[in-house]
Amino acid sequence: MRRVVSSELELEVRDGGELVLQVAAAGTPVDEVLDIRLDGSPVEALEVPTPHGGRAHLLDVGTGRLVVRYAATLAGRVAPSPGGNDERLVYLRPSRYAESDKLAEFAAHEFAGLADAESIVAGVSSWVGARIAYEAGTSLSTHGAIDTLLGGRGVCRDFAHLVTALLRALGVPARIAAVYAPGLSPMDFHAVVESLVEGEWRVVDATLLAPRPSLVRIATGRDAADIAFLTTVRGDVELLGIQVNAIVDGTLPDDDPRQLVSLG
Amino acid sequence: MRRVVSSELELEVRDGGELVLQVAAAGTPVDEVLDIRLDGSPVEALEVPTPHGGRAHLLDVGTGRLVVRYAATLAGRVAPSPGGNDERLVYLRPSRYAESDKLAEFAAHEFAGLADAESIVAGVSSWVGARIAYEAGTSLSTHGAIDTLLGGRGVCRDFAHLVTALLRALGVPARIAAVYAPGLSPMDFHAVVESLVEGEWRVVDATLLAPRPSLVRIATGRDAADIAFLTTVRGDVELLGIQVNAIVDGTLPDDDPRQLVSLG
Amino acid sequence: MRRVVSSELELEVRDGGELVLQVAAAGTPVDEVLDIRLDGSPVEALEVPTPHGGRAHLLDVGTGRLVVRYAATLAGRVAPSPGGNDERLVYLRPSRYAESDKLAEFAAHEFAGLADAESIVAGVSSWVGARIAYEAGTSLSTHGAIDTLLGGRGVCRDFAHLVTALLRALGVPARIAAVYAPGLSPMDFHAVVESLVEGEWRVVDATLLAPRPSLVRIATGRDAADIAFLTTVRGDVELLGIQVNAIVDGTLPDDDPRQLVSLG
Amino acid sequence: MRRVVSSELELEVRDGGELVLQVAAAGTPVDEVLDIRLDGSPVEALEVPTPHGGRAHLLDVGTGRLVVRYAATLAGRVAPSPGGNDERLVYLRPSRYAESDKLAEFAAHEFAGLADAESIVAGVSSWVGARIAYEAGTSLSTHGAIDTLLGGRGVCRDFAHLVTALLRALGVPARIAAVYAPGLSPMDFHAVVESLVEGEWRVVDATLLAPRPSLVRIATGRDAADIAFLTTVRGDVELLGIQVNAIVDGTLPDDDPRQLVSLG
């Protein structure tokens, strides 16, 4: 399965500073370009490795119009790495936007009948899909899983946070991944959950908006705090525009929600 | 039905100030004593009428040991007042500890099948009774209905707040009442909900800890902020001890949870 | 001082139900029209008295386009009513959007030097004015004083909630009033605080957006939950448009922030 | 500087499961014993490396009385590792109990005058020390920095969370470390902050309860979620007793709050 992904960001840097980009596909694409220009002149980026093969890019930029263009081609799927005990323990912990500690009692009552990890993942995913309405512009960037549970609506990151928090509350390790998502409409960066089921990290996407087998991992972490495509460490930056594209050679793969699928 | 109620508070006033007591039975008991003493000397209290027949007592006290003794006898039940549109609208609004606005989406999903007020009241009351564990010492005085929903445990005020918030979110007016509760064990002040069902205010007590027909109303309001038995407006006061008693002549009345009962 | 106020609401009622309007000036205007039409046909409204001279209007409406037109003329100012102990105690309590209980410790530290009510009101008002940026579209309808304190921005209701919560936390009774505000720009419904200073309710408007002497009271209550210009009790209603106007004969009155002004 | 540390936990395992201990000193003590017994019989633990030299221990235990005894001797201080860009970025992010995103506006206003990292660290640390009262039993395990800011009291983890959140909000990377703390009274596990100042991680302890130069690192992470001395992954465990000891050969080191000190 050959996949081609790209993104373009246009930014107004009003006060120069330090930016972090997480737009590059994780792992080793067969072909890749990252082109960054400030008012037309090339800008150097420092590549910093992040968990699970991710690569962040750090920029020190001055004032001006910044354009980031990324494109990559991926040949074949990446074999999943099962990960060890350290990961398993980290991804059981509550995090900023996945407050599993506060949801422990609620989750225990609501999902009382589910015993093994696979049933829990299936139960939580379909419950979140049924209870939360996909609606853009309704949630704030500071909203976490509890806000989503109560508010009843959100976008992919909100679905992912609620699934993640409920899974951790029920003892199933869960993390969040930013991905390129062939088939997503409207096309954008996407966020999904990975949960640990019988030693393998399996993709959970309660939005059901894109087939899981063709997703391309960008960044991985505890929640949205770890996987933002753009972070301003210092300075004053406004995002003017964003364009994302992701296609797969041939037809999109089928995706049966009952099947376990790994990101790769 | 003849009911006899009493309470005694012992307080250390370290810095004199203004206190509000809400310990007197609402309405007009046949027999009543309110005796307040600071280091043995009588203290005058100003009686202030509060909604639904309640009476608050205001004190200006100096430093010392304050003892409040209240006792009253009630002969017969009080005919309920249906109340008008103003009340109905007030008790549909979200309040400090009954955040019905934030619970609107959750309530709509969780109680989707219930149509009329009587079914909603029955459904919410039994759901809260099943989901929340009665446990002293687990909730803070700043906790509201959402904290109780998530934390899964609490005392009578927490049960009452969650019931109230869910009812309001579902369009059923609900308020909270502090009561003397014959049969409660361990004996203490109690808090229950009154909900408006077909024009009558009906008692809802998801804790099922005392029969509803013999409850004696003290104070009524939007939530615990309105019905505290002791409020320190100014000064520094410590509650050292509290004793509550409430009995009914003869045997305690039966209470069938399926029946509609008014406070009186 | 002669004041003329008016408002017009245009609503799409997709599913008929019960609405509450709070658009009429409190008290007794010398001249007043309330005209409500559904698809051009007149709709009857039931007037319900609310605290401090306010008047809510209840409607039972069917599906269609609903237009509400209100206009009134006020001759002279209304003598303020000082109110009694019951009010004073009610407006010291925490409420849904003015969580004074949670802000008690913060307020005690931040305003440690202020002793009397007048200094506290002045100190809190200028602090909120300096710390919060007036910015439309940044706050949600479920946001309260703590959200505003942390988020640092909001509109008139957010300023009013934070001032109200801090005042109550510091022992100064405070309530919120919806008003017509001659001089406000852009013109809209406005919300201000009334605080109890030496027995008189005084207007506090940390936004400084309109002169206080010419404000016209509409509704009064604990916080925004009590004073909404439109509440949908049942049904599905969308607000399509709103137009507010408020003028004063001659020039706008001066307003010196150091002076105590009552709403009237 | 020779330091000797020890801890003993006594636990009732009512339902066997998986536990994680973080009690071992980070790095390589010259001498170390970890002895774990269930009803007197030795229990094997799996050592899992954690960030910054930490070591977690995993146990699979059955039902019974579990006793964990740890003791270690450390000779000399450990040279601090500066860490790279990945760490710097991770520890700028908001986390579960250090909600720096929600505190950004508040921190910007409250600490407006502070420019460089060293001034920010000094300013935040003394502000938190002055505003928060050290008081045991007042905070819940689900409380974060915002709860502490509002509530005004807490223990070492609450101080550490508020300092961490404010520092991150102001652009200074900050993490939290569990430590053995010679001189602490009453003796217990302690939590402090490490902040990145000019390329070095420096200890910040707003409680001022123990000298920083003799602290012994146990675990390091984003907040309390990462450094708990005991986590129950599965099972039902009650902590019956805990005893901690930490001494330094000779006299305790001096600690001047104005000096920069690294954990080692």
Side-chain angles (χ1 to χ4, degrees):
Chain A
M1 185 174 52
R2 188 181 176 85
R3 292 165 288 175
V4 180
V5 301
S6 64
S7 56
E8 181 172 334
L9 310 180
E10 197 178 352
L11 306 156
E12 183 70 40
V13 183
R14 274 190 291 264
D15 189 12
E18 185 181 6
L19 306 185
V20 184
L21 298 170
Q22 294 194 91
V23 297
T28 49
V30 290
D31 195 36
E32 185 179 50
V33 179
L34 175 61
D35 179 74
I36 309 175
R37 287 173 189 270
L38 184 72
D39 292 336
S41 306
V43 176
E44 284 295 303
L46 177 67
E47 185 166 302
V48 176
T50 61
H52 312 292
R55 293 166 295 144
H57 291 91
L58 270 66
L59 314 181
D60 264 299
V61 287
T63 301
R65 179 69 52 108
L66 189 75
V67 178
V68 176
R69 282 194 193 86
Y70 176 77
T73 302
L74 295 103
R77 305 190 74 237
V78 183
S81 82
N85 272 313
D86 185 29
E87 270 182 41
R88 182 170 64 89
L89 296 178
V90 162
Y91 293 126
L92 276 171
R93 293 176 189 153
S95 64
R96 173 62 188 90
Y97 304 113
E99 314 98 328
S100 46
D101 52 339
K102 281 203 162 179
L103 284 164
E105 293 293 328
F106 178 83
H109 270 103
E110 195 74 32
F111 301 97
L114 305 174
D116 61 300
E118 191 174 338
S119 314
I120 290 172
V121 168
V124 165
S125 180
S126 62
W127 190 89
V128 170
R131 294 283 282 244
I132 308 302
Y134 192 96
E135 213 171 296
T138 57
S139 56
L140 302 179
S141 68
T142 52
H143 276 184
I146 292 171
D147 295 303
T148 303
L149 173 68
L150 298 176
R153 61 201 70 233
V155 293
C156 61
R157 64 164 253 157
D158 303 305
F159 280 71
H161 285 152
L162 184 51
V163 168
T164 297
L166 291 171
L167 290 180
R168 291 179 189 165
L170 296 163
V172 178
R175 64 195 190 200
I176 190 169
V179 293
Y180 287 101
L184 185 67
S185 170
M187 181 49 74
D188 201 345
F189 289 119
H190 193 44
V192 297
V193 176
E194 288 181 285
S195 66
L196 191 62
V197 179
E198 291 182 22
E200 301 286 344
W201 289 92
R202 303 301 196 171
V203 185
V204 186
D205 182 1
T207 72
L208 301 177
L209 288 176
R212 293 171 296 162
S214 48
L215 299 173
V216 174
R217 183 195 304 275
I218 302 170
T220 315
R222 301 191 188 196
D223 58 30
D226 284 340
I227 63 166
F229 65 85
L230 173 68
T231 305
T232 304
V233 177
R234 276 177 301 106
D236 180 5
V237 176
E238 188 189 358
L239 181 64
L240 302 178
I242 177 170
Q243 256 192 311
V244 178
N245 203 17
I247 54 172
V248 69
D249 260 16
T251 54
L252 278 171
D254 285 331
D255 189 3
D256 176 348
R258 288 161 303 180
Q259 266 193 314
L260 297 175
V261 173
S262 290
L263 205 58
Chain B
M1 184 174 50
R2 188 183 177 83
R3 292 164 288 175
V4 180
V5 302
S6 64
S7 55
E8 183 173 332
L9 310 180
E10 197 178 351
L11 306 157
E12 183 71 39
V13 184
R14 273 190 291 262
D15 189 11
E18 184 181 7
L19 305 186
V20 184
L21 297 170
Q22 293 194 93
V23 298
T28 49
V30 291
D31 195 37
E32 185 180 50
V33 179
L34 175 62
D35 179 74
I36 310 175
R37 287 171 189 271
L38 185 72
D39 292 337
S41 306
V43 175
E44 284 295 302
L46 177 67
E47 184 166 301
V48 176
T50 61
H52 312 292
R55 293 165 297 145
H57 291 90
L58 270 64
L59 315 180
D60 264 299
V61 288
T63 301
R65 179 68 53 107
L66 188 75
V67 177
V68 176
R69 282 194 192 84
Y70 176 78
T73 303
L74 295 103
R77 306 191 73 235
V78 183
S81 82
N85 272 312
D86 185 29
E87 269 182 42
R88 182 170 65 88
L89 296 178
V90 162
Y91 293 125
L92 275 172
R93 292 176 189 152
S95 64
R96 173 63 187 89
Y97 305 113
E99 314 97 327
S100 46
D101 54 337
K102 281 202 164 180
L103 284 164
E105 294 293 328
F106 178 83
H109 270 104
E110 195 74 32
F111 301 98
L114 305 174
D116 61 299
E118 191 174 337
S119 313
I120 290 172
V121 168
V124 165
S125 181
S126 62
W127 190 89
V128 170
R131 294 283 283 242
I132 307 303
Y134 192 95
E135 211 170 298
T138 56
S139 57
L140 303 179
S141 68
T142 52
H143 276 184
I146 292 171
D147 295 304
T148 303
L149 172 68
L150 297 176
R153 60 200 70 233
V155 293
C156 60
R157 64 164 255 157
D158 304 304
F159 280 71
H161 285 152
L162 184 51
V163 168
T164 296
L166 291 171
L167 290 180
R168 292 180 189 165
L170 296 164
V172 178
R175 64 196 190 198
I176 189 170
V179 293
Y180 287 102
L184 185 67
S185 171
M187 182 50 74
D188 202 345
F189 289 120
H190 193 43
V192 297
V193 176
E194 288 181 286
S195 67
L196 192 61
V197 178
E198 291 183 21
E200 302 284 347
W201 289 93
R202 304 302 197 172
V203 185
V204 187
D205 182 1
T207 72
L208 301 178
L209 288 177
R212 294 171 296 162
S214 47
L215 298 173
V216 174
R217 183 195 304 276
I218 301 169
T220 316
R222 301 191 189 195
D223 59 28
D226 284 340
I227 63 166
F229 65 85
L230 173 67
T231 306
T232 303
V233 177
R234 277 177 300 106
D236 180 5
V237 176
E238 188 189 357
L239 181 65
L240 302 177
I242 177 169
Q243 255 192 308
V244 178
N245 203 17
I247 55 173
V248 70
D249 260 16
T251 55
L252 278 172
D254 284 332
D255 189 1
D256 176 348
R258 287 160 304 179
Q259 266 192 314
L260 296 175
V261 174
S262 290
L263 205 57
Chain C
M1 184 174 51
R2 189 182 176 83
R3 291 165 288 177
V4 180
V5 301
S6 64
S7 55
E8 182 172 333
L9 310 181
E10 197 179 351
L11 306 156
E12 183 69 40
V13 183
R14 273 190 291 263
D15 188 12
E18 184 182 6
L19 305 186
V20 184
L21 297 169
Q22 293 195 93
V23 298
T28 49
V30 291
D31 196 37
E32 185 179 51
V33 179
L34 175 61
D35 180 75
I36 310 175
R37 287 173 191 269
L38 184 71
D39 292 335
S41 306
V43 175
E44 284 295 302
L46 177 67
E47 185 166 302
V48 176
T50 62
H52 312 292
R55 294 166 295 145
H57 292 90
L58 270 64
L59 315 181
D60 264 299
V61 288
T63 302
R65 179 69 52 108
L66 188 75
V67 177
V68 176
R69 282 192 192 86
Y70 175 77
T73 302
L74 296 103
R77 305 190 73 235
V78 182
S81 82
N85 272 313
D86 185 29
E87 270 183 43
R88 182 170 65 87
L89 296 178
V90 162
Y91 293 126
L92 276 171
R93 292 176 189 152
S95 64
R96 174 62 187 91
Y97 305 113
E99 313 97 327
S100 46
D101 53 338
K102 280 204 164 179
L103 284 164
E105 293 293 326
F106 178 84
H109 270 104
E110 195 74 32
F111 301 99
L114 305 174
D116 61 299
E118 191 175 337
S119 314
I120 290 172
V121 169
V124 165
S125 181
S126 61
W127 189 89
V128 170
R131 294 283 283 243
I132 307 302
Y134 192 94
E135 211 170 297
T138 57
S139 56
L140 303 180
S141 67
T142 52
H143 276 184
I146 292 171
D147 295 303
T148 303
L149 172 68
L150 297 176
R153 63 200 68 235
V155 293
C156 60
R157 65 165 254 156
D158 303 305
F159 280 71
H161 285 152
L162 184 51
V163 168
T164 296
L166 291 171
L167 290 180
R168 291 179 188 164
L170 295 163
V172 178
R175 63 195 191 202
I176 190 170
V179 293
Y180 287 102
L184 186 67
S185 171
M187 181 52 72
D188 202 344
F189 289 119
H190 194 43
V192 297
V193 176
E194 289 181 285
S195 66
L196 191 62
V197 178
E198 292 182 19
E200 301 285 346
W201 288 93
R202 304 300 196 172
V203 185
V204 187
D205 182 1
T207 71
L208 301 178
L209 287 177
R212 292 170 298 161
S214 47
L215 298 173
V216 174
R217 183 195 304 276
I218 301 170
T220 315
R222 301 191 187 195
D223 58 29
D226 283 340
I227 63 166
F229 65 86
L230 173 67
T231 306
T232 304
V233 177
R234 277 177 299 108
D236 180 5
V237 176
E238 187 188 359
L239 180 65
L240 302 178
I242 177 170
Q243 255 192 310
V244 178
N245 202 17
I247 55 173
V248 70
D249 260 17
T251 54
L252 278 172
D254 284 333
D255 189 2
D256 176 347
R258 286 160 306 178
Q259 267 192 314
L260 296 175
V261 173
S262 289
L263 205 58
Chain D
M1 186 175 50
R2 189 183 176 82
R3 292 167 288 177
V4 180
V5 302
S6 64
S7 55
E8 181 171 333
L9 310 180
E10 197 179 350
L11 306 157
E12 184 70 38
V13 183
R14 273 190 291 263
D15 188 11
E18 185 183 7
L19 306 185
V20 184
L21 298 170
Q22 294 194 91
V23 297
T28 48
V30 291
D31 196 36
E32 184 179 51
V33 178
L34 175 61
D35 179 74
I36 309 174
R37 285 172 191 271
L38 185 72
D39 292 335
S41 307
V43 175
E44 284 296 302
L46 177 67
E47 186 166 299
V48 175
T50 62
H52 311 292
R55 294 166 295 145
H57 291 91
L58 270 64
L59 315 181
D60 263 300
V61 287
T63 301
R65 180 69 51 108
L66 188 74
V67 178
V68 175
R69 282 194 193 87
Y70 176 77
T73 303
L74 296 102
R77 306 190 74 236
V78 182
S81 83
N85 272 313
D86 185 30
E87 270 183 40
R88 183 171 64 88
L89 296 177
V90 162
Y91 293 126
L92 277 171
R93 293 177 189 151
S95 65
R96 173 64 188 89
Y97 304 112
E99 314 97 328
S100 46
D101 53 339
K102 281 203 163 180
L103 284 165
E105 294 293 326
F106 178 84
H109 271 104
E110 195 74 32
F111 301 98
L114 305 174
D116 61 300
E118 191 173 339
S119 314
I120 290 172
V121 168
V124 165
S125 181
S126 62
W127 189 90
V128 169
R131 294 283 285 244
I132 308 302
Y134 193 95
E135 213 170 296
T138 57
S139 56
L140 303 179
S141 67
T142 52
H143 276 184
I146 292 171
D147 295 303
T148 302
L149 172 68
L150 297 175
R153 62 201 68 235
V155 293
C156 60
R157 65 163 253 157
D158 303 304
F159 280 71
H161 285 152
L162 183 51
V163 168
T164 296
L166 291 171
L167 290 179
R168 291 179 189 164
L170 296 163
V172 179
R175 64 195 190 200
I176 190 171
V179 293
Y180 287 101
L184 186 67
S185 170
M187 182 49 74
D188 202 344
F189 288 119
H190 194 43
V192 296
V193 176
E194 289 181 285
S195 66
L196 192 62
V197 179
E198 292 183 21
E200 300 286 345
W201 288 94
R202 303 300 196 171
V203 185
V204 186
D205 182 1
T207 71
L208 301 178
L209 287 176
R212 293 170 296 161
S214 48
L215 298 173
V216 174
R217 182 195 305 275
I218 302 170
T220 316
R222 301 191 188 197
D223 59 29
D226 284 340
I227 63 166
F229 66 85
L230 173 67
T231 305
T232 304
V233 177
R234 276 177 301 107
D236 180 6
V237 176
E238 188 189 358
L239 180 64
L240 302 177
I242 176 170
Q243 254 192 311
V244 178
N245 203 17
I247 55 173
V248 69
D249 259 17
T251 55
L252 279 170
D254 285 332
D255 188 2
D256 176 348
R258 288 162 303 181
Q259 266 193 315
L260 296 175
V261 173
S262 289
L263 204 58

